[in-house]
C-alpha cells in the first residue's frame, strides 16, 4: 500500500531526494515544494515497518501518459527489494503509459539503473533528450527517456518530450531540441 503525499510529508521526502539525486537533477526545496500546488503533480510514498517514509515516486500526469520525474528509496532501505516492489505496485495501479528519464549509460551506476528499470518492463529510447535546468545557474542535463512496454517511435518520443517540457518544466523546450 502506498500513500499520497501532502505538504506535511514533504520535508522527509525531500531529504530522501537530496540524498538520492545530484543538485542538477532536482529543484530547490522551495521550488520542489511549490509543485505540490499543481494538480498534475503527485508524490506517492511507502512507509517502512517503523512507520517512517522510506521511498517515494514523484510524477506528473501528462496528456496521455505519466512522467515519473523522481523515484528513490531511503539509503537505509536499499538493496532489499523494496524499490522494485514499490515500482511494480505503482505501475500496476496505473495501467497507462509511463515514461521516465535516466542518465545516459556512461558509468556503472547509470548502467545498473537502466538495467533495474528494464527488469521492471521499461525500454531505453536513445533519442536525443535534454532535461532543462532545474534552477537558476544550473545546466541542462543530457538524458534518455525510458518507456514502459514498447520502444517509442520518433513521433511518440517527440510528443512525450514536448508534453514533459510543457507540463513538468514549464518551457516549450525549443532551446533544447536539435
Amino acid at each position: 500500500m502506498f500513500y499520497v503525499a501532502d505538504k506535511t510529508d514533504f520535508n522527509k521526502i525531500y531529504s530522501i531526494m537530496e540524498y538520492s539525486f545530484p543538485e542538477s537533477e532536482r529543484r530547490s526545496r522551495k521550488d520542489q515544494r511549490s509543485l505540490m500546488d499543481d494538480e498534475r503533480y503527485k508524490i506517492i510514498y511507502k512507509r517502512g515497518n517503523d512507520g517512517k517514509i522510506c521511498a517515494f515516486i514523484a510524477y506528473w500526469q501528462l496528456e496521455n501518459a505519466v512522467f515519473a520525474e523522481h523515484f528513490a528509496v531511503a539509503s537505509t532501505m536499499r538493496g532489499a527489494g523494496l524499490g522494485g516492489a514499490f515500482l511494480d505496485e505503482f505501475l500496476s495501479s496505473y495501467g497507462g503509459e509511463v515514461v521516465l528519464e535516466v542518465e545516459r549509460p556512461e558509468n556503472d551506476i547509470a548502467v545498473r539503473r537502466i538495467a533495474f528499470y528494464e527488469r521492471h518492463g521499461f525500454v531505453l529510447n536513445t533519442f536525443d533528450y535534454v532535461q532543462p535546468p532545474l534552477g537558476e545557474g544550473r545546466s541542462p542535463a543530457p538524458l534518455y527517456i525510458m518507456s514502459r512496454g514498447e520502444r517509442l517511435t520518433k513521433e511518440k518520443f517527440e510528443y512525450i518530450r514536448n508534453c514533459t517540457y510543457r507540463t513538468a518544466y514549464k518551457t516549450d523546450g525549443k532551446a533544447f531540441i536539435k
Side-chain angles (χ1 to χ4, degrees), residues 22-177:
E23 186 177 34
S24 63
E25 292 180 22
R26 59 183 157 80
R27 293 170 184 83
S28 70
R29 182 179 297 268
K30 177 184 172 200
D31 290 348
Q32 196 73 42
R33 185 180 175 95
S34 71
L35 296 179
M36 296 187 80
D37 294 327
D38 190 320
E39 65 185 22
R40 298 167 297 181
Y41 181 75
K42 303 279 186 253
I43 302 174
I44 58 171
Y45 65 88
K46 293 288 273 185
R47 290 189 182 278
N49 292 336
D50 60 2
K52 294 181 180 176
I53 295 173
C54 62
F56 76 91
I57 299 172
Y59 66 94
W60 290 91
Q61 181 63 57
L62 304 178
E63 292 166 16
N64 293 314
V66 162
F67 165 53
E69 184 176 42
H70 291 105
F71 167 52
V73 175
S75 62
T76 57
M77 302 295 286
R78 291 183 181 169
L82 172 79
F86 182 29
L87 180 60
D88 289 342
E89 183 181 1
F90 169 68
L91 294 172
S92 68
S93 73
Y94 181 78
E97 187 160 20
V98 178
V99 297
L100 51 85
E101 300 166 332
V102 291
E103 293 172 276
R104 294 185 179 192
E106 297 169 349
N107 60 55
D108 287 344
I109 292 171
V111 169
R112 286 196 315 264
R113 188 171 293 123
I114 290 167
F116 168 82
Y117 287 120
E118 288 173 337
R119 287 191 303 275
H120 293 276
F122 285 84
V123 294
L124 185 66
N125 298 279
T126 56
F127 300 110
D128 282 332
Y129 175 81
V130 175
Q131 179 191 62
L134 294 180
E136 199 167 311
R138 297 185 186 175
S139 298
L143 302 173
Y144 284 137
I145 295 286
M146 294 190 79
S147 52
R148 182 173 70 167
E150 297 179 3
R151 195 168 313 282
L152 300 175
T153 64
K154 177 83 168 153
E155 294 76 25
K156 182 73 171 187
F157 163 77
E158 290 172 352
Y159 177 76
I160 293 285
R161 177 198 62 204
N162 294 342
C163 289
T164 301
Y165 281 168
R166 276 192 315 274
T167 305
Y169 300 120
K170 314 295 188 249
T171 180
D172 64 10
K174 289 180 181 174
F176 310 107
I177 299 172

